[in-house]
Structures are given as structure tokens and as C-alpha cells.
């Protein structure tokens, strides 16, 4: 035990704070403590080479914005033996003087690099003395599907139509369960969580022109928003996009009843198009970091209808929502290639 207490590690905190990098550093710190290191920390300062600090130093940064990594590269202290890390990629290197570097192609890459370094620390029982390792995911999108759906119909609602409530989906509100699941996804380097629903908007947003479309109580509505916002933030700091998937064209039961419409629309109705357009705008404004996935099949019939629905309703609504929300990072819009000519 006395020998373990002698091991010193210094975490050099990056000047620019980032939730993903801070999460990654926490993984490294836990690994260091588990193998007997005493940990201290300093904040990155331009021009400081940290040579006088006792113990091995660890620096984690995003090379897109880290002046410290750029300085190490310019001085030839950080040399990439293969490609320079790009999106979601990272490079691990131990260089003089006793400096262990996690260089991420972006914040997610830095996070993945931290996980790799933490695994190696646990395996070796110490910070590696020799290290030059590079990695990056191969697949662009990686993640599971979770359905806000049930196995039985709820007449008069039809297939896939389930408003989001604690009675129907108690697990959706269990934050501890979500944290465990998101941690598992991060360990598997997943970067997207798909949530499927027939028509989710009527459980998560209010459309001023169509108040009758809301399918949950005010208490349920507020709880849904709070949980979804929390889930989005927790996923984001793990480098995970939340993507909400919906079908075409499904509409809320109270909206259908008020306007004497079928729940499943096989053709484009101008009123339904206007409601859907405004629902998507409100959703993007409310949840700007959640992506959307649209399925043009199931109810909507005809190739031209599906093309028009996607090009004249869905995409314009997404673009307008992005404009109104003044987004700098655009969430993904994915077209499911089911029952349609996706080309």
C-alpha cells in the first residue's frame, strides 16, 4: 500500500470547458484512484510546459480548439504516427517530459480516448510509459432503437398510437435506468439513440394554432418535457444524439375527432400538413438537440405523396425550426428507407 501511495498523477484541465471532455477525465480519474494514484490538478496555461510538476501529467484536449495541443504539435512533441485524428477519432501518446496526451479529433473523440486510456490504466495498473495508439469508429451512426410502443392496441387508437404517460411507459421516467443505459451505450461507443413512436409530438409540444392536438394532461406534458430535456443533455455529454422517429401520416386522436379525420392519413390533407409543419417547428424549438427520423410508409400511399410530404412539409418544417431556434449545430434528419423510394 505504501508503494501505491507514492504514485503521483497530475491532470491538466483544458482551458476551454467541455462536458464530454470533463466526463472523459472523470473516467481517467476513477481508474487512477483504483490503481493507487494520488491525483492533483492544474488548469492549462499558455506557455507553461509543466516540467516541474511531480509525477506523470495527463492532458486531454480537442485539437479543433486546443492551443496547448497545437503548441505541442508545432514543437514536434506530439507527432501523429498515422492520420491526424478526425471526427470521433483520437490519438494517445506519451511524450517527454512524462506527459500522457489524449488528442481528440473533436470532443467525442477526446471522450473515447479517455475511455481507452482508463481501460489501459486499469489493465496495466499504472499510466502506460510507452504509448502511441490511434482509433476511430468505422460506422457513422451506431446505436439501438427503443420503442415508445406497446404490444396491444388501445381502441379507438390504432397501430403505434400511444401517448407518452407514466401509466403506459413508467421506464421512460426512470432517470437511474436511463443513466445506466446511456453509460452502457458510451462503453460500446454508440453515438445515436433512436426512440420510435407513431406520432410523438402530441405528447411533447403544444401547437398554439391547434391546442386540441395535445394528448396528455398538463402535468404529464410538463413531466415529459422535463424528462426529455434531461435525457437529451445526459446523452449529449456522452456524445450521443437522441433521434425521435415518427410515421406518416399519423395524427393525434383528439385532433382527428375535432376535425372529423381518419387517424391514419393515406393522402396529404392541407390541414394535417399545416399541423405537422407547425408541430415539427415547435419540437425543434423546444428540443433543439434532438434529431428526427421520418418513416414515409405505413399509412401514406403513393410515391408522389411520399415525396411531396418529405420535400414540401417535413424538410421545410425542419429548416424553419432550425431558423427560429437559431441553431449553430444542426440536428440530424434521417429518412427511413421503408416503403418508399429513398433515392
Amino acid at each position: 500500500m505504501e508503494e501505491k501511495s507514492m504514485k503521483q498523477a497530475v491532470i491538466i484541465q483544458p482551458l476551454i470547458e467541455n462536458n464530454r471532455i470533463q466526463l472523459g477525465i472523470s473516467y481517467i480519474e476513477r481508474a487512477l484512484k483504483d490503481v493507487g494514484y494520488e491525483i492533483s490538478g492544474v488548469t492549462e496555461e499558455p506557455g507553461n510546459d509543466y516540467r516541474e510538476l511531480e509525477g506523470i501529467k495527463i492532458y486531454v484536449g480537442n485539437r479543433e480548439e486546443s492551443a496547448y495541443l497545437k503548441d505541442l504539435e508545432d514543437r514536434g512533441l506530439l507527432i501523429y504516427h498515422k492520420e491526424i485524428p478526425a471526427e470521433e477519432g483520437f490519438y494517445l501518446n506519451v511524450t517527454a517530459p512524462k506527459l500522457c496526451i489524449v488528442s481528440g479529433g473533436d470532443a467525442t473523440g477526446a471522450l473515447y480516448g479517455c475511455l481507452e486510456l482508463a481501460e489501459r490504466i486499469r489493465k496495466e495498473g499504472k499510466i502506460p510509459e510507452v504509448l502511441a495508439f490511434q482509433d476511430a469508429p468505422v460506422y457513422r451512426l451506431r446505436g439501438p432503437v427503443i420503442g415508445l410502443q406497446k404490444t396491444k392496441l388501445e381502441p379507438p387508437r390504432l397501430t403505434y398510437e400511444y401517448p407518452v404517460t407514466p401509466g403506459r411507459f413508467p421506464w421512460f421516467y426512470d432517470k437511474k435506468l436511463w443513466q445506466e443505459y446511456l453509460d452502457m451505450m458510451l462503453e460500446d461507443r454508440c453515438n445515436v439513440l433512436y426512440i420510435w413512436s407513431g406520432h410523438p409530438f402530441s405528447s411533447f409540444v403544444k401547437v398554439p394554432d391547434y391546442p386540441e392536438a395535445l394528448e396528455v394532461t398538463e402535468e404529464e406534458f410538463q413531466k415529459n418535457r422535463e424528462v426529455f430535456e434531461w435525457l437529451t443533455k445526459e446523452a449529449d455529454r456522452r456524445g450521443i444524439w437522441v433521434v425521435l422517429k415518427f410515421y406518416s401520416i399519423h395524427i393525434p386522436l383528439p385532433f382527428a375527432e375535432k376535425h372529423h379525420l381518419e387517424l391514419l392519413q393515406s393522402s396529404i390533407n392541407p390541414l394535417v400538413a399545416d399541423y405537422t409543419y407547425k408541430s415539427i417547428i415547435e419540437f425543434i424549438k423546444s428540443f433543439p438537440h434532438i434529431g428526427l427520423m421520418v418513416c414515409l410508409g405505413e399509412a401514406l400511399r403513393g410515391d408522389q405523396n411520399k415525396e411531396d410530404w418529405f420535400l414540401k412539409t417535413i424538410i421545410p418544417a425542419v429548416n424553419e425550426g432550425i431558423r427560429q431556434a437559431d441553431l449553430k449545430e444542426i440536428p440530424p434528419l434521417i429518412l427511413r428507407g421503408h416503403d418508399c423510394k429513398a433515392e
Side-chain angles (χ1 to χ4, degrees), residues 10-31:
V10 180
I11 305 291
I12 304 172
Q13 292 285 346
L15 202 58
I16 301 175
E17 292 188 6
N18 181 280
N19 287 335
R20 296 177 194 175
I21 291 178
Q22 291 304 314
L23 178 62
I25 290 174
S26 74
Y27 274 83
I28 294 174
E29 289 176 336
R30 287 198 296 272

Side-chain angles (χ1 to χ4, degrees), residues 307-325:
E307 181 179 327
D308 289 346
W309 185 245
F310 189 62
L311 297 179
K312 297 180 180 180
T313 298
I314 304 300
I315 290 180
V318 169
N319 287 336
E320 179 60 19
I322 289 171
R323 187 192 69 79
Q324 291 191 25

Side-chain angles (χ1 to χ4, degrees), residues 25 94 140 142 158 187 189 206 210 217 248 252 274 276 332:
I25 290 174
V94 174
R140 178 67 185 87
R142 313 170 303 278
L158 301 177
E187 289 168 6
R189 310 307 192 259
K206 295 178 179 178
Y210 301 101
T217 67
S248 302
D274 186 62
T276 304

Side-chain angles (χ1 to χ4, degrees), residues 65-103:
E65 58 188 25
S66 171
Y68 187 58
L69 286 178
K70 185 178 186 306
D71 179 64
L72 291 175
E73 293 171 5
D74 291 345
R75 290 193 287 156
L77 296 175
L78 174 57
I79 299 173
Y80 301 102
H81 293 81
K82 293 184 179 179
E83 301 85 4
I84 293 175
E87 185 177 8
E88 295 188 313
F90 65 87
Y91 182 69
L92 304 181
N93 185 239
V94 174
T95 186
K98 292 186 178 181
L99 176 61
C100 182
I101 301 166
V102 180
S103 176

